[in-house]
Amino acid sequence: MGLKKLIIPALAKRSLKNYIPRITEIAENALDDWVDKESIVFVEEAQVLFSTFIAEAVVGMSFPLGPWARKDVYAALKSLGHGLFSFGINMPFTKFGKAMAARESLLGMIRL
């Protein structure tokens, strides 16, 4: 089964209506975090916010996830994404090597 077939039902209009209270709660938590900061990079914060929603809606994760916060999951997803289409040289300093390390981190998070 393809990833698209797994994600599409979770993001269908009928399903999204059920997520509105949780989306609101996630956004309010993010705003509370932002209040304490002197400045934020909005694009990065919005990406963390969206990845939090996807992790909860599609994968069923809820935060905090053991020792991992939303930003940890986002960082692992970002690293995994950067390395997916790189040369498959599995060395710790390559994009692919970092993606494989992120994959292991994500698997550890999901297994919790």
Side-chain angles (χ1 to χ4, degrees):
M1 178 179 287
L3 183 61
K4 186 176 180 180
K5 287 183 180 181
L6 290 172
I7 292 175
I8 293 299
L11 299 177
K13 187 175 183 179
R14 191 173 340 142
S15 297
L16 286 176
K17 287 181 182 180
N18 296 328
Y19 297 134
I20 290 174
R22 184 63 189 136
I23 291 170
T24 303
E25 186 179 336
I26 291 169
E28 287 173 351
N29 290 340
L31 290 171
D32 289 340
D33 291 343
W34 298 346
V35 166
D36 298 332
K37 296 179 181 180
E38 189 173 305
S39 66
I40 63 166
V41 178
F42 183 75
V43 172
E44 184 176 313
E45 294 292 341
Q47 290 170 339
V48 171
L49 194 63
F50 184 72
S51 65
T52 301
F53 166 67
I54 292 298
E56 290 196 15
V58 177
V59 182
M61 295 175 153
S62 60
F63 297 95
L65 185 65
W68 296 285
R70 294 176 302 148
K71 285 198 178 239
D72 299 324
V73 174
Y74 171 71
L77 288 170
K78 186 176 179 180
S79 183
L80 182 64
H82 284 289
L84 282 179
F85 301 106
S86 63
F87 293 107
I89 301 170
N90 196 0
M91 302 288 283
F93 55 85
T94 65
K95 287 182 180 182
F96 185 77
K98 291 176 184 176
M100 292 298 97
R103 177 184 175 270
E104 290 303 314
S105 292
L106 288 166
L107 286 174
M109 293 173 195
I110 291 169
R111 288 184 187 127
L112 264 180

